[in-house]
C-alpha cells in the first residue's frame, strides 16, 4: 500500500529509547517503565499466548511538501494488518525534541471496548532516496492497550539530517516513510487467575519495580534461601516497613499462601526507599548484590548465619606465572555471581573459555617478578570451587567508547539446560580444586530484559522444582510455559517473520529480538535435594503467622465490605460543630469538608426514621429535635444546604432518599443536621420554617489576626434587611451591640473568588440571598489602619487564601536541594515573581534572573528555561500536565535575560596550530551575526600564531568534518547541541593550492567486528590535508607524522587506507594518493577520506557529556 499526502493538513534520548507519545513528558516518565518496548506475553493468557503464525504487512507513505508542513503532528492513512487498524503518526518538527518523532498508532483506539489489547512487532523507516544503505530503520515490539495506544521513537533521527537536502531523505520535498507490521493475536488479560492456573502468584509493580520482582521471585523459588529467611529472628514488635528481615518474611509468606498477587511496598519501605526510588529503574545485578550483602549482615549472630555464603559463594584463583623463571604469584578471591561476556561469545561455555583465557605479559607489558625483575609471564584466572547455586550475570549492557554511551548487546547467546563445568578434564578448575565434587548444574531460572539501554521490562522464567514445567513470572501474572519459551526464545539475536500478504515480495521481515536473558541461575545436581527442600508453616515464626493471618482476615473483611457495598448507603452528617472545627483551619471556602464529618453505613432498606434513632444514639440529640437538610451543588460549583427533608421523604427508605437527592448515582447521601439549642444549651425543637424564612451561615473575619472563623447560623425573613440583624451578628461575634460592621456575600471561589459587599439597607430578596448562603462580616476598618494591615477586608483575604502558594526555589547547579522558599500568589505576574527572588537574593536587577520549571514526573528541571515574560502568571509556571508543582529553579545571569535572548551562544572548541589541548569557548553574539563575527570574537580571546592569521569554523560530528561554514552564514540557524563546532587557523599551504592540488579529509579509525560484519569506527580529531599531484603515500606519511607529532615507534604500527562509504582500501608506500581522490559525485565529501588506522589511545570519558543536562543516574542503595 502506498499513500501520498499532498496537503499539509515534541527530550534528547538514546536511539533505543521508545515511548508512547501521548504520555510524553520532559524527563523520564515514571508511570511507564523505562519507557521501553514490552513483551506481548505480559498480557496474554496461558491457553492462548501470542500465536506462532503472525500476520504481517508492509506499508509505504510518501509525504509531499514535507518541509512546508506547518502542523505539530500528522497521521498516515489507516491500513489493516491482522484484522486490526493501524496508522503511522509523525511529528515533522519533533515531539518537543530536535528529532523526527515517529510512532505506530492504533487507529481505532477511541472506539475499542474497555480492556482491549493487541501485540505487534514492527519497524519504522525513513527511506534514503539517494543511497538505500543510508535508510534509517528502527524496530521494536509492544503490547498496545488503552493507556499506550501508540508506541515508537521520540528521537527517530536528527531533524538536521532529515531536512538537509544533501543527505537524501528529502528529494523533491517528498519524505518516504515505511512501516513493516507483524501482528500476533492475544486474548483477554483481565479474567486470568494465576494461582488457579499455575499454583503460584505474582508481585505487583510499584511503577518501575519489575526488575526487582523478577529477582525476588527467583530468590523465593530457592527453598533453602526462603527457609533461611523465615528463620531470621524477628519479633511481634518489629515493623515490616523498618525491618528488612520481617518485610522479606512477610513477602515470602504471602507468595506462599496468598491467592492473589502480592505488593512489595513494605519491602521497598524497609529498604528506606521513597516513592521516587520505586519509579527509578535500577541495575538488577547491583540490587542482587546489595540485597544479599544486607541479608548476610542481618544474619550474623543468628541461627542462619553464613547461609548466603553456603548458597552463592564460590572461589577463584588469580595467578601470574613466569615463563622463563620459577616464579608464580596467586591470589584467592570469592564471588557471589560471575559476570560473563556476551559480545563475541556464542554460548556460556565460550564465555567461560574467555573468563579463563591466558593473557601473555611480554614486550612493554612484562611482569615485575620481585627479585627476578621484568619477566615474560602468563596471567589468568582458574576456579577453586563453584557454589551450590551459581548465578551468572550476562553482560548485555556495555560502554561503547566510539559512541560514548551505554548500549545493549542483543546478539544471540545460547545457554544449556545442563551445564557441565568439569568438561574437557576440568579446564576451568585450578590445580587445588577438589575434583571429587561433580560440577554438573541444572538450569533453574532465566531472568529476561526486554527493551533498550535506558530501561525496559523485566520478567523471569523459573522451574521451581527443576521438572520440565517452566513458569513465566511477569509482575502480577504467572503462566505455564514450555522449554522453548524459556530457553531458545531468550537467546536473543534476530527473528524472521514470513510475509503473509499476497501480492508483495515475500522476503521475510527481520526483527532484532529486544527480549533476551541477562541473568541465569543454575543449581548443582548433587545439592539439588538439599536446596529444593520442603518449606511449610512450621518454618515460619508463630508471631509472623498470627500477624499475617490477621492481615489476611482484615483484607478479607475489606473485600466483603466492598462486595456488599451495593446493599448500603453512606450517610455523611455535617453539624455546626464540624463547621466550627474546619472553617479557618482546614477550609476557608464553602462550609465543610464532607470527608471529615461523621459518616454512617446504613442498609438501603432501613427507613430514614430508624436512621434518626442511630443519630440520636451517636450524638445524644433526641429524634424530635433533629432536622435534616439536603446539600445541593449549585451551578457555580459551590455546595450548600438547600432545603429541609419533608416528612414524606423521612418516611422513605434510605436507598430511595439517596436516589432522590443524588443524580450522580454514587453511594453517598450528604446531610446537614440542624439542632436548635435553648438558654441552657440543651436541644429544643427546630422552629417552624415558612416560605419567607431563609437559613444563612455566618463567618467572621479579623483583619488584624488574618483569621476567618464560623460563628453560627440564623433564620432571616427574605423580605427583611441585613441592617435588622446587625445586633444579633455583633452578639455572635462577641462585639458590642452597636459595633459598626461590614457584610459580604461569599458567592463562589472557582475558578475565581467572587465575594461582594452586601447592601445592608436592601432586602435579602433584592440581593438574591437564599437558603444556604454564606455571609462574611467584619468590623468596619478605620482608614488609618490600612497601611499596616495586609488584607483589610474579606474579599482581599479570600483572594489571598485562594492564590497563596509556597514555592521552593533551587539553583540549577544543585537541583535536588531547596535554597529558599517564598510565599507567593498563583496570580503573581512573571515580573512579581522575579522581583521577589531578586529581593531575597539582594539583586538590583530582577531581569538577570532566569527561571526553569519543574517536571513533576521525573522530579527534575525541564530542559528549556522560561523565556522573559513568556508566561502570564506564577500558576502557568507551576502547572505540569494535570499536576501543580511547588518547585522552581533559578539562575543569576551576567546580563539581563531580554538581552541574552537576543543573543546566540555558541560553544566552540578552538584548536591551536601547535598546541595539543583544545580550548572550549562560549561565544555570545547577536542572533543576526555571521560566522565572520564569531571568528573575529574568537581572535580576541585566544593566542594566535601571528596577528593576521585566518580562522575557519567547522562542523564536526562523530569524528568527521561535515562542513566548513561560509563567513557570511548567519549564526541564528547554527545548531551546536548535537554537532561540535571547531575553530582553527587555516594552514598556509591550504591558501596557496596549485591547480592540481587536492584538499582531502583525513580521519582516524579502528575496525570492529559486530554481528559478523567488519565496521569502521572513527575516533579522534579529523583534519584536512593538501595532497599534491603525483605525491606517494610515503611522502604523505612524512607530512602526517610531522603534523601529528607521532613517535617513530608508534607511527610504524599505523596503516593508511582510502575509504569511500565506509569501505577501506589499504595503500602501499608507493601508491599515488591523489589518484584515489578523483572528482566524482559522492554522497558528501566526508564519505571519501584518507584513513589512519591505529589503536585509540585517547582517554575515555567515564560518562557521556552530551547527555540531557538534567539526566541523573541513581545507584541502588538499601538504607536500613
Amino acid at each position: 500500500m502506498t499513500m501520498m499526502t499532498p496537503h499539509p493538513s515534541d527530550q534528547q534520548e538514546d536511539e533505543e529509547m521508545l515511548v508512547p507519545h501521548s504520555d510524553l513528558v520532559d524527563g523520564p516518565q515514571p508511570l511507564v517503565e523505562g519507557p521501553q518496548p514490552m513483551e506481548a506475553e505480559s498480557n496474554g493468557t496461558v491457553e492462548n499466548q501470542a500465536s506462532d503464525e503472525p500476520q504481517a504487512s508492509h506499508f509505504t507513505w510518501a509525504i509531499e511538501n514535507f518541509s512546508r508542513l506547518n502542523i505539530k503532528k500528522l497521521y498516515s492513512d489507516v491500513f489493516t494488518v491482522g484484522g486490526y487498524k493501524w496508522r503511522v503518526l509523525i511529528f515533522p518538527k519533533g515531539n518537543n525534541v530536535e528529532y523526527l518523532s515517529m510512532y505506530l498508532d492504533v487507529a481505532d483506539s477511541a472506539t475499542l471496548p474497555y480492556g482491549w489489547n493487541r501485540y505487534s512487532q514492527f519497524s519504522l523507516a525513513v527511506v534514503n532516496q539517494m543511497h538505500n544503505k543510508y535508510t534509517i530503520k528502527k524496530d521494536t515490539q509492544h503490547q498496545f492497550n488503552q493507556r499506550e495506544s501508540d508506541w515508537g521513537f521520540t528521537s527517530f533521527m536528527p531533524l538536521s539530517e532529515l531536512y538537509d537536502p544533501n543527505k537524501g531523505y528529502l528529494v523533491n520535498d517528498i519524505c518516504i516513510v515505511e512501516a513493516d507490521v507483524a501482528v500476533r493475536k492475544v486474548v483477554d488479560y483481565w479474567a486470568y487467575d494465576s494461582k488457579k492456573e499455575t499454583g503460584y502468584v505474582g508481585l505487583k509493580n510499584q511503577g518501575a519495580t519489575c526488575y526487582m520482582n523478577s529477582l525476588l521471585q527467583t530468590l523465593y523459588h530457592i527453598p533453602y534461601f526462603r527457609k533461611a529467611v523465615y528463620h531470621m529472628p524477628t519479633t511481634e514488635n518489629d515493623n515490616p516497613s523498618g525491618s528488612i528481615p520481617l518485610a522479606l518474611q512477610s513477602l515470602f509468606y504471602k507468595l506462599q499462601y496468598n491467592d492473589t498477587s502480592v505488593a512489595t511496598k513494605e519491602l521497598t519501605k524497609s529498604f528506606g526507599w521513597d516513592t521516587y526510588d520505586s519509579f527509578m529503574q535500577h541495575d538488577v545485578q547491583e540490587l542482587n548484590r546489595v540485597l544479599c550483602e544486607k541479608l548476610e549482615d542481618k544474619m550474623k549472630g543468628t541461627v542462619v548465619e553464613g547461609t548466603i555464603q553456603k548458597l552463592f559463594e564460590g572461589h577463584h584463583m588469580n595467578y601470574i606465572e613466569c615463563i622463563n623463571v620459577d616464579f608464580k604469584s596467586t591470589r584467592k578471591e570469592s564471588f557471589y555471581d560471575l559476570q560473563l561476556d556476551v559480545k563475541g561469545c556464542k554460548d556460556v561455555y565460550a564465555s567461560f573459555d574467555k573468563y579463563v583465557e591466558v593473557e601473555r605479559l611480554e614486550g612493554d607489558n612484562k611482569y615485575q617478578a620481585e627479585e627476578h625483575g621484568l619477566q615474560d609471564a602468563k596471567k589468568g584466572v582458574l576456579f577453586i570451587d563453584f557454589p551450590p547455586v551459581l548465578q551468572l550475570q550476562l553482560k548485555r549492557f556495555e560502554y561503547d567508547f566510539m559512541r560514548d554511551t551505554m548500549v545493549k548487546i542483543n546478539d544471540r547467546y545460547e545457554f544449556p539446560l545442563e551445564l557441565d563445568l568439569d568438561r574437557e578434564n576440568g579446564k576451568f578448575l585450578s590445580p587445588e580444586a577438589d575434583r571429587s565434587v561433580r560440577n554438573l548444574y541444572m538450569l533453574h531460572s532465566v531472568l529476561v530484559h526486554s527493551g533498550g539501554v535506558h530501561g525496559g521490562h523485566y520478567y523471569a522464567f523459573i522451574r521451581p522444582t527443576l521438572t520440565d514445567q517452566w513458569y513465566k513470572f511477569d509482575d502480577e501474572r504467572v503462566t505455564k510455559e514450555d522449554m522453548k519459551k524459556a530457553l531458545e526464545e531468550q537467546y536473543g539475536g534476530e527473528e524472521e517473520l514470513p510475509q503473509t500478504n499476497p501480492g508483495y515480495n515475500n522476503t521475510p521481515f527481520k526483527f532484532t529480538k529486544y527480549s533476551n536473558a541477562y541473568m541465569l541461575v543454575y543449581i548443582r545436581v548433587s545439592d539439588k535435594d538439599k536446596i529444593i527442600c520442603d518449606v511449610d508453616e512450621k518454618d515460619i515464626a508463630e508471631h509472623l503467622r498470627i500477624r499475617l493471618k490477621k492481615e489476611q482476615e482484615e483484607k478479607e473483611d475489606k473485600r466483603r465490605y466492598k462486595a456488599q457495598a451495593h446493599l448500603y448507603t453512606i450517610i455523611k452528617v455535617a453539624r455546626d460543630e464540624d463547621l466550627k472545627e474546619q472553617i479557618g483551619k482546614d477550609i476557608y471556602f464553602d462550609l465543610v469538608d464532607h470527608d471529615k464529618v461523621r459518616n454512617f453505613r446504613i442498609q438501603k432498606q432501613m427507613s430514614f426514621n430508624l436512621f434518626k434513632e442511630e443519630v440520636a444514639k451517636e450524638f445524644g440529640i433526641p429524634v424530635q429535635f433533629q432536622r435534616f437538610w439536603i446539600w445541593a451543588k449549585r451551578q457555580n460549583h459551590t455546595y450548600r444546604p438547600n432545603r429541609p427533608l419533608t416528612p414524606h421523604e423521612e418516611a422513605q427508605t434510605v436507598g430511595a432518599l439517596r436516589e432522590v437527592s443524588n443524580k450522580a448515582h454514587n453511594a453517598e447521601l450528604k446531610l446537614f443536621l440542624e439542632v436548635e439549642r435553648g438558654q441552657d444549651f440543651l436541644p429544643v425543637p427546630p422552629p417552624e420554617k415558612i416560605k419567607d424564612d431563609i437559613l444563612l451561615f455566618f463567618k467572621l473575619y479579623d483583619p488584624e489576626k488574618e483569621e476567618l472563623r464560623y460563628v453560627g447560623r440564623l433564620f432571616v425573613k427574605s423580605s427583611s434587611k441585613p441592617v435588622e440583624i446587625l445586633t444579633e451578628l455583633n452578639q455572635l461575634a462577641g462585639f458590642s451591640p452597636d459595633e459598626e460592621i461590614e457584610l459580604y456575600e461569599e458567592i463562589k471561589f472557582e475558578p475565581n473568588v467572587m465575594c461582594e459587599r452586601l447592601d445592608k439597607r436592601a432586602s435579602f430578596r433584592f440581593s438574591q440571598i437564599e437558603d444556604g448562603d454564606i455571609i462574611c462580616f467584619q468590623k468596619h476598618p478605620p482608614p488609618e489602619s490600612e497601611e499596616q494591615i495586609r488584607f483589610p477586608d474579606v474579599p482581599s483575604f479570600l483572594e489571598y487564601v485562594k492564590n497563596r502558594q509556597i514555592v521552593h526555589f533551587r539553583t540549577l547547579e544543585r537541583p535536588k536541594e531547596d535554597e529558599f522558599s517564598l510565599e507567593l500568589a498563583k496570580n503573581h505576574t512573571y515580573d512579581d515573581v522575579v522581583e521577589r527572588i531578586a529581593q531575597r537574593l539582594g539583586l538590583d536587577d530582577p531581569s538577570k534572573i532566569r527561571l526553569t520549571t519543574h517536571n513533576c514526573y521525573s522530579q527534575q528541571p525541564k530542559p528549556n528555561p522560561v523565556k522573559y515574560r513568556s508566561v502570564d502568571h506564577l500558576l502557568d509556571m507551576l502547572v505540569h500536565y494535570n499536576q501543580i508543582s511547588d518547585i522552581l529553579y533559578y539562575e543569576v545571569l551576567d546580563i539581563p535575560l531580554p538581552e541574552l535572548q537576543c543573543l546566540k551562544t555558541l560553544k566552540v572548541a578552538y584548536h591551536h596550530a601547535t598546541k595539543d589541548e583544545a580550548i572550549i569557548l562560549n561565544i555570545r553574539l547577536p542572533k543576526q551575526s555571521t560566522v565572520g563575527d564569531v571568528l573575529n570574537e574568537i581572535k580576541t580571546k585566544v593566542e594566535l600564531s601571528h596577528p593576521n592569521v585566518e580562522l575557519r569554523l567547522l562542523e564536526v560530528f562523530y569524528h568527521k568534518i561535515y562542513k566548513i561554514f561560509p563567513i557570511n552564514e548567519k549564526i541564528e540557524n547554527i545548531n551546536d547541541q548535537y554537532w561540535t563546532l571547531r575553530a582553527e587557523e587555516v594552514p598556509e599551504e591550504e591558501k596557496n593550492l596549485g591547480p592540481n592540488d587536492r584538499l582531502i579529509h583525513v580521519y582516524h579509525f579502528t575496525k570492529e567486528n559486530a554481528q559478523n560484519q567488519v565496521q569502521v569506527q572513527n575516533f579522534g580529531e579529523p583534519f584536512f590535508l593538501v595532497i599534491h599531484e603525483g605525491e606517494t603515500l610515503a611522502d604523505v606519511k612524512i607530512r602526517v607524522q610531522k603534523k601529528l607529532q607521532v613517535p617513530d615507534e608508534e607511527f610504524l604500527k599505523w596503516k593508511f587506507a582510502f575509504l569511500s562509504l565506509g569501505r577501506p582500501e589499504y595503500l602501499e608506500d608507493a601508491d599515488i594518493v591523489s589518484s584515489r581522490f578523483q572528482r566524482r559525485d559522492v554522497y558528501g565529501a566526508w564519505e571519501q577520506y584518507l584513513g589512519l588506522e591505529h589503536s585509540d589511545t585517547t582517554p575515555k570519558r567515564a560518562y557521556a557529556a552530551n547527555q540531557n543536562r538534567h539526566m541523573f543516574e541513581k545507584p541502588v542503595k538499601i538504607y536500613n
Side-chain angles (χ1 to χ4, degrees), residues 28 61 64 107 121 193-194 235 301 444 477 561 584 618 698 906 914 945 955 960 986 1061 1079 1095:
W61 181 20
E64 292 187 341
Q121 285 180 292
D193 183 335
S194 292
T235 72
H444 173 266
R477 188 174 174 74
Y561 182 93
E618 176 69 22
F698 294 90
L906 292 178
T914 55
S945 57
E955 177 185 277
K960 292 182 179 180
V986 180
L1061 296 173
R1079 296 191 182 279
S1095 58

Side-chain angles (χ1 to χ4, degrees), residues 899-956:
E899 269 182 53
L900 181 65
Q901 285 177 187
C902 296
L903 301 176
K904 171 89 173 178
T905 302
L906 292 178
K907 191 174 178 181
V908 180
Y910 177 72
H911 290 249
H912 193 276
T914 55
K915 295 180 182 174
D916 287 344
E917 278 299 307
I919 306 167
I920 304 298
L921 302 171
N922 283 303
I923 305 298
R924 191 190 278 166
L925 290 170
K927 289 180 179 176
Q928 294 307 306
S929 304
T930 63
V931 169
D933 298 326
V934 172
L935 297 175
N936 288 334
E937 182 71 10
I938 290 172
K939 285 180 182 179
T940 67
K941 293 176 179 284
V942 299
E943 183 188 335
L944 302 170
S945 57
H946 60 89
N948 300 320
V949 74
E950 186 184 332
L951 299 184
R952 66 183 167 203
L953 189 67
L954 311 175
E955 177 185 277
V956 178

Side-chain angles (χ1 to χ4, degrees), residues 54-59 81 121-123 137 179-183 494-501 504-512:
Q55 294 174 290
S57 190
H58 179 81
F59 173 71
V81 184
Q121 285 180 292
F122 63 93
S123 69
K137 182 175 181 179
D180 286 318
V181 180
V183 173
E494 287 189 331
E495 180 177 6
E496 281 195 3
L497 298 174
Q499 272 272 19
T500 56
N501 203 353
Y504 293 92
N505 66 19
N506 283 319
T507 55
F509 294 163
K510 277 194 175 183
F511 288 95
T512 300

Side-chain angles (χ1 to χ4, degrees), residues 447-607:
L447 279 73
V448 176
H449 176 266
S450 170
V453 68
H454 287 300
H457 189 54
Y458 294 85
Y459 45 91
F461 290 93
I462 302 172
R463 50 175 182 163
T465 54
L466 296 178
T467 62
D468 289 341
Q469 182 60 64
W470 286 85
Y471 298 88
K472 180 181 177 185
F473 292 83
D474 186 353
D475 286 339
E476 300 182 32
R477 188 174 174 74
V478 186
T479 52
K480 288 183 178 178
E481 303 292 352
D482 58 28
M483 195 181 300
K484 184 181 176 205
K485 272 254 166 59
L487 268 76
E488 290 173 43
E489 292 196 12
Q490 308 315 322
Y491 289 164
E494 287 189 331
E495 180 177 6
E496 281 195 3
L497 298 174
Q499 272 272 19
T500 56
N501 203 353
Y504 293 92
N505 66 19
N506 283 319
T507 55
F509 294 163
K510 277 194 175 183
F511 288 95
T512 300
K513 293 176 79 171
Y514 287 99
S515 302
N516 36 52
Y518 71 93
M519 179 175 166
L520 307 171
V521 178
Y522 283 93
I523 289 178
R524 191 155 49 201
V525 173
S526 57
D527 294 302
K528 175 183 138 188
D529 293 338
K530 182 174 77 177
I531 290 163
I532 310 294
C533 56
D534 290 331
V535 184
D536 51 34
E537 284 223 340
K538 70 177 184 297
D539 292 300
I540 301 162
E542 188 184 5
H543 78 84
L544 188 65
R545 289 204 302 270
I546 293 166
R547 177 200 289 263
L548 296 174
K549 278 180 178 164
K550 188 180 172 192
E551 270 181 33
Q552 207 57 33
E553 285 163 10
E554 286 171 2
K555 196 174 174 183
E556 188 56 32
D557 287 345
K558 276 185 188 171
R559 190 197 61 75
R560 262 198 309 274
Y561 182 93
K562 214 170 176 181
Q564 295 171 359
H566 66 287
L567 302 173
Y568 291 84
T569 289
I570 303 295
I571 303 181
K572 294 185 172 180
V573 178
R575 302 181 297 145
D576 273 334
E577 288 83 348
D578 297 307
L579 276 60
K580 278 183 183 143
E581 177 64 31
Q582 293 186 24
I583 291 170
K585 294 178 190 152
D586 302 332
I587 63 167
Y588 289 88
F589 301 99
D590 266 354
L591 291 170
V592 76
D593 178 350
H594 292 274
D595 291 334
K596 294 181 179 174
V597 303
R598 176 73 171 86
N599 63 67
F600 299 81
R601 188 170 186 253
I602 303 296
Q603 283 194 335
K604 288 181 179 176
Q605 296 310 310
M606 182 188 278
S607 78

Side-chain angles (χ1 to χ4, degrees), residues 610-890:
L610 267 178
F611 163 69
K612 289 173 80 170
E613 291 179 14
E614 292 275 324
V615 173
K617 284 184 211 162
E618 176 69 22
F619 295 136
I621 309 291
V623 169
Q624 66 271 27
F625 300 148
Q626 300 173 14
R627 179 155 63 192
F628 287 93
W629 290 65
I630 284 184
W631 293 80
K633 187 167 189 177
R634 298 180 174 180
Q635 283 185 328
N636 63 11
H637 305 294
T638 57
Y639 211 58
R640 308 284 173 81
N642 185 42
R643 62 174 179 80
L645 290 178
T646 64
H648 171 70
E649 286 171 331
E650 292 194 355
Q652 293 180 352
T653 63
V654 163
L657 186 58
R658 181 194 65 79
E659 284 169 22
V660 168
S661 73
N662 191 342
K663 301 291 185 285
H665 299 296
N666 62 25
E668 289 183 356
L669 174 60
K670 291 172 183 167
L671 299 172
F672 175 72
L673 173 57
E674 176 200 345
V675 178
E676 294 299 324
R677 298 190 182 269
Q679 296 289 332
D680 49 7
F681 208 66
L682 291 173
V684 296
E688 186 186 353
K689 180 183 187 307
I690 58 173
K691 193 174 180 185
D692 195 37
D693 291 333
I694 308 171
L695 179 63
L696 299 181
F697 294 83
F698 294 90
K699 298 178 185 177
L700 172 67
Y701 174 55
D702 182 337
E704 289 181 6
K705 293 182 180 174
E706 291 182 9
E707 189 177 87
L708 186 74
R709 62 189 176 92
Y710 174 72
V711 289
R713 55 185 164 74
L714 294 173
F715 277 103
V716 300
K717 301 288 183 189
S718 65
S719 55
S720 66
K721 298 172 182 176
V723 71
E724 297 167 32
I725 60 164
L726 296 182
T727 305
E728 284 179 89
L729 293 182
N730 279 328
Q731 189 179 347
L732 284 176
F735 297 161
S736 62
D738 55 354
E739 180 72 52
E740 191 180 348
I741 55 176
E742 295 293 336
L743 276 59
Y744 300 86
E745 183 194 357
E746 180 191 314
I747 301 168
K748 65 169 189 168
F749 57 95
E750 288 295 350
N752 302 308
V753 173
M754 195 169 174
C755 180
E756 295 180 351
R757 190 186 294 271
L758 194 63
D759 185 345
K760 289 184 273 193
R761 303 207 168 271
S763 69
F764 288 109
R765 185 182 295 124
F766 180 82
S767 297
Q768 298 182 352
I769 302 296
E770 56 188 46
D771 276 320
D773 277 347
I774 300 169
I775 307 296
C776 301
F777 67 100
Q778 66 177 89
K779 288 182 182 178
H780 183 72
E784 71 278 0
S785 68
E786 290 194 17
E787 283 183 24
Q788 297 87 17
I789 291 175
R790 292 201 302 167
F791 310 108
D793 56 23
V794 173
S796 62
F797 176 72
L798 291 181
E799 191 72 40
Y800 156 71
V801 168
K802 164 77 177 165
N803 289 299
R804 68 179 164 186
Q805 173 73 50
I806 304 293
V807 181
H808 303 280
F809 288 93
R810 302 172 176 182
T811 64
L812 273 179
E813 291 74 37
R814 289 191 298 279
K816 290 288 178 190
E817 301 166 23
D818 289 354
E819 287 285 317
F820 57 86
S821 300
L822 294 176
E823 185 186 277
L824 303 171
K826 291 180 186 136
N827 57 355
H828 268 164
T829 64
Y830 174 90
D831 285 354
D832 294 333
V833 174
V834 292
E835 275 169 25
R836 287 291 305 279
I837 299 169
Q839 278 173 21
R840 176 67 175 71
L841 297 174
L843 266 183
D844 294 334
D845 187 353
S847 68
K848 287 185 179 177
I849 303 276
R850 180 163 66 176
L851 300 172
T852 299
T853 56
H854 180 69
N855 182 326
C856 296
Y857 297 112
S858 67
Q859 298 293 310
Q860 297 170 14
K862 291 188 188 176
N864 298 314
V866 177
K867 290 186 176 171
Y868 183 69
R869 290 182 177 166
S870 63
V871 292
D872 292 330
H873 298 107
L874 172 64
L875 186 60
D876 302 322
M877 293 188 256
L878 300 179
V879 170
H880 181 232
Y881 290 85
N882 58 348
Q883 295 191 39
I884 294 182
S885 159
D886 62 353
I887 295 168
L888 282 176
Y889 304 86
Y890 73 92

